[in-house]
Amino acid sequence: MQLKLFVLRKSKKLTQKRVASYLGIAVQTYRNKENGIQQFSQDEMFALSTLFNLCMEDIFLPRKHQYGDKIKTR
């Protein structure tokens, strides 16, 4: 799941429908992307970074971290 994106969307009181409309995609497609089932395209990531006025790195986690997995350190 793109947890940061979910938190940002909720903090701005935006619905999945509204963000999907902003991106020009179906609500179910957006839902799948926010839940980590599908990947966001680069264009969608740029658009979302503009919408939230943040760098892409501040919104999107690498795929290996989407589900809470962390790099193991010793």
Side-chain angles (χ1 to χ4, degrees), residues 47-64:
L48 289 168
S49 68
T50 300
L51 176 65
F52 294 111
N53 197 30
L54 292 169
C55 296
M56 285 193 311
E57 301 85 30
D58 293 333
I59 300 171
F60 295 96
L61 298 171
R63 287 184 62 90
K64 65 183 174 183

Side-chain angles (χ1 to χ4, degrees), residues 8-22:
L8 280 170
R9 181 176 61 76
K10 289 292 192 176
S11 72
K12 300 290 185 183
K13 298 183 177 157
L14 295 171
T15 63
Q16 288 182 334
K17 182 178 181 179
R18 180 119 185 228
V19 178
S21 177
Y22 175 79

